[in-house]
């Protein structure tokens, strides 16, 4: 549909507001992490740093436990993403292709999981994990993160399977391929975008998880980024340079990940939404 | 919704399904179903410090929790929190989705990167807004003064209503792009010829929005309202890290109260009782919302 001059003007204006709302804070955080402390808290923020310093990063990486938190988070988030993709693919295929009693009931039941406040299971999970010696381990966080990412991932995966043309399977069946072989060698490779979408979803939700990580991890050496960084907020007298450097480095991995496969993630979200 | 396929062999399906679903569903049973049952069990015992044993106390925890003011106060704060978030996020998201539904250079990139606020860790959201809203050194105060909205610096977290409002805006900032992307999917399902026909009939943009976009967006909005209610009720970290429920309990939602009861006041039984009541309320609310808001013809 054609837009007149006023329509174009409104569009450009709203785009500018939207960009300012979403991107400006991120830009200011990133650019300010290179500014000298005095410039960081100047009343009118500079768009580009006038002063340039790496002192905040040197302090963050040299004297704080940030590198440890970063490594822990990377390990936990990558493992959680891997396990979630694996389990969601298995379940997604079963719910999409197999016919068995109680399938639709089970499928809906899984989605009910999100109706429960996660705080409900915090106390019982702590007690259970304490009994089997999982407190203060990375594995505990991986289990919890997979649990929270899995229902939504199964839902997305089933939608991705359903979007593949059915002729593929029929052709493979005529060629004598078993269903498992068809799934493994024909369907799964075509689902790479879906797998990327689920991987990023699971990675991001683990990367940002705070509540369980704050309760299930006790020693500082095992701490993940959100909990560790929130500790740094309180630990020093507010050192904005240090915090902004920490914030920038915490955003970086998800932004890189998102730059690579983000479009599949958004496509996955919207495809799921219309089914 | 299920894709039935009469031609496929069904004999092996059951066994294969068990094989494929054993791990994923086994995990969910162990980490969701079992803990929920266990939460009910804990709520019926007089357990103080985590991990200690407590005597069976029937519904004592429930009666103590439900007759104390703290629970009802937190429930009220939670209600304001959920409604405030739903309102702000819906308005922002509808506007953003309408913009992103237009065709312009770079629209594909904008549709992906708008979700940036949603993928960064909450603790980073906390740092960003603590910095920008800080009365000393933050930039929001000077900005609002310079455009004449306020005449002296404001403490965004110092009074109760301001703290809650600030938290709602910050949480909405984080979530509205996600809602916008979902709405965009709904918008793109609306057939373009409807708009063309309306334009031929002389309907302006606002009339087209009211007659076509808004009604046809209702199913998507319903799903998002229910999802959003459950998700925002659950939010804990952003509140905990910014105000810890303060000042004077003004931003103490139910999850914050439950956390404090369990891990600061060491009353596990009480915390479990509150969380069981909260779960029942959430499920009830979800059912009510679906029942009330669902268009009747779609309910068949």
């Amino acid at each position: 549909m054609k837009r007149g001059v006023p329509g174009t003007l409104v569009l450009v204006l709203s785009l500018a507001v939207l960009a300012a709302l979403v991107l400006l804070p991120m830009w200011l955080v990133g650019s300010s992490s290179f500014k000298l402390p005095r410039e960081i808290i100047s009343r009118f923020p500079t768009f580009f740093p006038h002063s340039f310093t790496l002192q905040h990063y040197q302090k963050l990486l040299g004297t704080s436990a940030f590198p440890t938190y970063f490594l822990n988070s990377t390990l936990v988030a990558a493992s959680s993403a891997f396990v979630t993709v694996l389990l969601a693919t298995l379940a997604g295929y079963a719910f999409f292709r197999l016919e068995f009693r109680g399938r639709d009931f089970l499928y809906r039941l899984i989605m009910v999981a999100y109706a429960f406040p996660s705080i409900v299971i915090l106390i019982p999970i702590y007690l259970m994990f304490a009994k089997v010696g999982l407190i203060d381990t990375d594995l505990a966080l991986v289990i919890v993160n997979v649990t929270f990412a899995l229902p939504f991932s199964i839902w997305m995966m089933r939608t991705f399977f359903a979007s593949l043309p059915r002729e593929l399977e029929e052709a493979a069946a005529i060629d004598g391929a078993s269903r498992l072989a068809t799934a493994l060698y024909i369907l799964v490779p075509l689902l790479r975008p879906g797998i990327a979408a689920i991987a990023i979803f699971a990675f991001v939700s683990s990367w940002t998880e705070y509540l369980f990580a704050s309760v299930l991890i006790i020693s500082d050496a095992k701490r993940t980024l959100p909990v560790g960084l929130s500790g740094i907020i309180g630990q020093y007298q507010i050192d904005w340079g240090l915090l902004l450097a920490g914030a920038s480095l915490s955003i970086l991995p998800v932004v890189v990940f998102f730059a690579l496969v983000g479009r599949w993630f958004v496509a996955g979200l919207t495809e799921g939404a219309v089914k | 919704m299920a894709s039935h396929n009469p031609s496929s062999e069904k004999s092996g399906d059951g066994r294969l399904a068990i094989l494929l679903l054993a791990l994923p569903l086994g995990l969910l049973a162990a980490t969701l179903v079992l803990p929920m049952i266990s939460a009910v069990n804990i709520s019926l015992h007089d357990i103080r410090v985590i991990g200690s044993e407590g005597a069976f106390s029937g519904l004592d925890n429930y009666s103590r929790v439900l007759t104390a003011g703290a629970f009802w106060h937190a429930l009220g704060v939670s209600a304001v929190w959920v409604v405030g978030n739903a309102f702000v996020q819906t308005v922002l998201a509808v506007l953003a989705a309408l913009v992103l539904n237009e065709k312009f250079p770079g629209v594909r990139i904008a549709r992906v990167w708008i979700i940036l606020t949603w993928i960064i860790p909450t603790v980073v959201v906390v740092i960003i807004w603590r910095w920008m809203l800080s009365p000393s050194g933050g930039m929001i105060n000077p900005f609002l003064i310079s455009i004449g909205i306020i005449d002296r610096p404001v403490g965004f977290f110092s009074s109760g209503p301001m703290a809650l409002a600030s938290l709602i805006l910050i949480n909405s900032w984080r979530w509205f792009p996600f809602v916008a992307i979902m709405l965009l999917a709904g918008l793109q399902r609306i057939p373009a010829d409807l708009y063309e026909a309306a334009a031929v009939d002389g309907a302006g943009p606002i009339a087209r929005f009211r007659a076509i976009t808004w009604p046809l967006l209702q199913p998507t909005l319903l799903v998002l309202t229910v999802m959003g209610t459950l998700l925002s009720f659950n939010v804990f970290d952003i509140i905990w890290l910014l105000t810890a429920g303060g000042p004077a309990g003004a931003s103490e939602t139910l999850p914050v109260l439950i956390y404090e009861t369990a891990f600061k006041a060491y009353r596990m039984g009480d915390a479990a009782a509150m969380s069981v009541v909260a779960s029942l309320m959430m499920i009830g609310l979800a059912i009510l919302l679906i029942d009330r808001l669902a268009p009747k013809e779609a309910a068949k």
Side-chain angles (χ1 to χ4, degrees):
Chain A
M1 210 168 307
K2 278 195 201 98
R3 271 191 300 268
V5 175
T8 310
L9 209 64
V10 170
L11 180 66
V12 170
L13 256 169
S14 6
L15 269 175
V17 171
L18 202 57
L21 204 58
V22 173
L23 298 178
L24 197 59
M26 310 278 177
W27 172 260
L28 287 173
V29 167
S31 68
S32 298
S33 66
F34 295 104
K35 295 172 187 169
L36 285 168
R38 208 160 35 85
E39 196 186 341
I40 292 178
I41 57 162
S42 74
R43 288 165 51 81
F44 295 99
T46 43
F47 202 69
F48 296 103
H50 288 183
S51 52
F52 181 83
T53 175
L54 289 174
Q55 68 179 59
H56 308 304
Y57 286 97
Q58 277 160 353
K59 190 171 172 190
L60 187 74
L61 300 176
T63 65
S64 78
F66 187 87
T68 315
Y69 304 149
F70 193 94
L71 279 179
N72 291 342
S73 266
T74 309
L75 184 69
V76 168
S79 320
S80 305
F82 179 75
V83 177
T84 305
V85 164
L86 203 69
L87 298 186
T89 310
L90 294 178
Y93 180 77
F95 281 121
F96 157 67
R97 177 52 66 222
L98 302 181
E99 295 196 14
F100 53 94
R101 244 184 308 149
R103 177 180 69 175
D104 292 353
F105 173 73
L106 266 180
Y107 182 65
R108 286 192 198 117
L109 194 66
I110 288 177
M111 296 313 293
V112 175
Y114 287 117
F116 289 90
S118 49
I119 194 121
V120 178
I121 64 164
L122 179 62
I123 300 162
I125 286 265
Y126 183 94
L127 295 175
M128 273 171 50
F129 282 8
K131 243 176 234 159
V132 292
L134 277 173
I135 297 294
D136 210 23
T137 63
D138 292 335
L139 184 60
L141 296 184
V142 173
I143 292 174
V144 168
N145 289 329
V146 171
T147 298
F148 286 131
L150 196 53
F152 187 62
S153 302
I154 291 175
W155 180 67
M156 281 217 282
M157 206 62 197
R158 182 184 172 279
T159 320
F160 287 130
F161 270 115
S163 69
L164 296 178
R166 104 147 293 136
E167 291 78 29
L168 281 174
E169 284 172 90
E170 282 160 3
I174 291 166
D175 289 347
S178 76
R179 289 205 298 177
L180 221 49
T182 312
L184 212 56
Y185 297 114
I186 298 175
L187 301 186
V188 170
L190 287 170
L191 284 174
R192 267 175 298 196
I195 287 172
I198 288 165
I200 193 171
F201 173 71
F203 187 92
V204 166
S205 46
S206 317
W207 190 259
T208 66
E209 205 285 319
Y210 173 86
L211 179 59
F212 283 77
S214 77
V215 171
L216 297 178
I217 297 296
I218 291 155
S219 55
D220 196 43
K222 293 257 171 68
R223 217 150 263 170
T224 51
L225 249 173
V227 182
L229 200 55
S230 73
I232 295 181
I233 300 181
Q235 179 182 338
Y236 302 91
Q237 195 189 2
I238 293 190
D239 179 344
W240 289 121
L242 187 70
L243 288 179
L244 296 181
S248 305
L249 284 186
S250 313
I251 300 177
L252 198 64
V254 281
V255 167
V256 170
F257 202 1
F258 206 65
L260 295 173
V261 290
R263 62 206 163 99
W264 299 120
F265 175 62
V266 172
L269 277 184
T270 47
E271 220 163 282
V274 297
K275 290 279 152 69
Chain B
M1 73 192 263
S3 45
H4 288 280
N5 173 20
S7 68
S8 78
E9 32 154 340
K10 284 176 195 164
S11 49
D13 274 16
R15 210 175 304 155
L16 188 55
I18 293 171
L19 199 70
L20 295 178
L21 290 174
L23 264 175
L25 296 191
L27 177 79
L28 291 180
T31 53
L32 286 177
V33 181
L34 212 60
M36 279 174 201
I37 296 169
S38 162
V40 175
N41 187 41
I42 295 169
S43 74
L44 299 173
H45 288 80
D46 183 24
I47 298 175
R48 304 284 169 97
V49 180
I50 202 159
S52 67
E53 300 290 320
F56 180 80
S57 58
L59 294 174
D60 282 4
N61 293 335
Y62 287 90
S63 65
R64 183 168 49 246
V65 161
L66 293 177
T67 50
F71 177 84
W72 298 104
H73 170 75
L75 187 65
V77 175
S78 274
V80 174
W81 167 260
V82 167
V83 173
N85 270 295
F87 178 76
V88 177
Q89 285 175 38
T90 306
V91 171
L92 286 176
V94 168
L95 293 175
L98 287 175
V99 170
L100 293 179
N101 197 32
E102 294 291 318
K103 287 192 182 71
F104 56 88
V107 64
R108 291 166 64 99
I109 295 170
R111 281 179 191 166
V112 172
W113 285 97
I114 187 180
I115 214 159
L116 193 60
T117 65
W118 186 69
I119 61 171
I120 62 174
T122 338
V123 65
V124 171
V125 174
V126 165
I127 291 173
I128 292 176
W129 289 100
R130 261 181 96 157
W131 173 49
M132 300 212 302
L133 293 175
S134 157
S136 57
M139 65 205 66
I140 301 287
N141 267 310
F143 173 72
L144 291 179
I145 292 172
S146 73
I147 60 171
I149 291 183
I150 53 176
D151 46 5
R152 71 175 71 92
V154 173
F156 287 95
F157 299 109
S158 54
S159 81
M162 271 296 270
L164 191 54
S166 304
L167 283 171
I168 288 173
L169 288 178
I170 293 169
N171 191 58
S172 299
W173 177 79
R174 177 166 199 236
W175 277 92
F176 90 88
F178 179 82
V179 183
I181 291 294
M182 299 296 235
L183 279 178
L184 184 62
L187 280 179
Q188 287 174 339
R189 257 189 321 170
I190 300 176
D193 38 343
L194 280 180
Y195 289 107
E196 280 153 22
V200 169
D201 290 345
I206 292 168
R208 288 200 296 267
F209 177 80
R210 284 180 50 185
I212 301 169
T213 314
W214 187 247
L216 289 179
L217 215 49
Q218 291 309 309
T220 319
L221 271 173
L222 164 73
V223 174
L224 288 174
T225 309
V226 176
M227 251 177 68
T229 303
L230 301 173
L231 287 172
S232 59
F233 178 84
N234 252 325
V235 169
F236 167 81
D237 43 6
I238 219 162
I239 303 175
W240 183 250
L241 291 172
L242 275 168
T243 65
S251 57
E252 190 172 66
T253 57
L254 261 181
V256 175
L257 177 66
I258 293 170
Y259 184 86
E260 282 197 313
T261 308
F263 297 100
K264 300 281 177 232
Y266 300 113
R267 302 198 65 96
M268 290 299 149
D270 288 3
M274 285 193 267
S275 66
V276 170
V277 175
S279 304
L280 293 177
M281 284 176 167
M282 280 299 103
I283 292 166
L285 188 64
I287 292 170
L288 193 79
L289 279 176
I290 292 170
D291 189 51
R292 273 293 166 81
L293 298 180
K296 290 295 165 264
E297 61 273 15
K300 64 187 172 201

